[in-house]
Amino acid sequence: DEKPNTLRVSAIKVSDLAQGASPSIRLQLSSPVEELTITKLQDPLDKDAEGSFVLFEGVDTSAATLSVSANDADIPLGTSDIQDVAPFCTIEDGLHPNPKVSEVTVSLFPSKSSSSGSGSSSSSNSGATTEEKKEEEKEEIVAASE
């Protein structure tokens, strides 16, 4: 019985925002087309806390893309470039899949009414889930895929 591919995304860090800001992070997946929102940062002691992650199911890892945008209250903070999902979901041995963790820094570029943006960098490490860290306005978001 084959399980459908899943992609789990969690916000783990925010920087370059005003103190007291509480951004919501909107994630748009292209295959299947779905949009979900993270409302709080991941707690390292409770990684499954409500609002701290989203789970996309039935992900077509060969075709899916993901974009990230953020708001603080009703103020748009910015939107990322579109990211291909495949690099976060590649499993070296399909017969014996092991968890894979990918950490990716994602920059948000200012929305028309926003005035912030930042650079981008990435790193990854291996760990049959994939965790992805995306930086949003220097915010890192963690994602997992099976």
Side-chain angles (χ1 to χ4, degrees):
D1 216 3
E2 193 172 311
K3 292 177 13 180
N5 291 325
T6 60
L7 179 67
R8 177 181 166 126
V9 182
S10 303
I12 61 166
K13 181 181 175 184
V14 177
S15 58
D16 289 351
L17 292 178
Q19 191 169 2
S22 44
S24 62
I25 300 131
R26 190 177 72 221
L27 301 143
Q28 294 178 307
L29 187 70
S30 67
S31 186
V33 175
E34 190 170 2
E35 179 177 298
L36 299 172
T37 302
I38 296 171
T39 56
K40 64 182 181 180
L41 296 180
Q42 180 184 48
D43 177 348
L45 300 176
D46 185 5
K47 293 184 178 191
D48 295 326
E50 186 176 337
S52 68
F53 71 94
V54 296
L55 184 65
F56 295 102
E57 296 183 350
V59 178
D60 180 353
T61 57
S62 65
T65 59
L66 184 70
S67 67
V68 179
S69 60
N71 290 334
D72 184 17
D74 292 334
I75 302 166
L77 299 174
T79 303
S80 73
D81 285 335
I82 294 171
Q83 306 287 318
D84 286 326
V85 171
F88 311 131
C89 303
T90 303
I91 297 177
E92 292 179 25
D93 182 355
L95 296 176
H96 304 95
N98 291 314
K100 177 182 177 182
V101 176
S102 299
E103 296 182 13
V104 180
T105 302
V106 175
S107 298
L108 291 184
F109 299 98
S111 300
K112 292 183 185 194
S113 60
S114 173
S115 61
S116 56
S118 58
S120 155
S121 65
S122 68
S123 65
S124 68
N125 60 345
S126 284
T129 63
T130 297
E131 290 203 6
E132 165 190 353
K133 292 182 184 171
K134 297 198 164 235
E135 178 162 313
E136 165 155 337
E137 203 87 304
K138 293 208 176 170
E139 171 164 346
E140 294 182 7
I141 299 176
V142 145
S145 164
E146 292 185 26

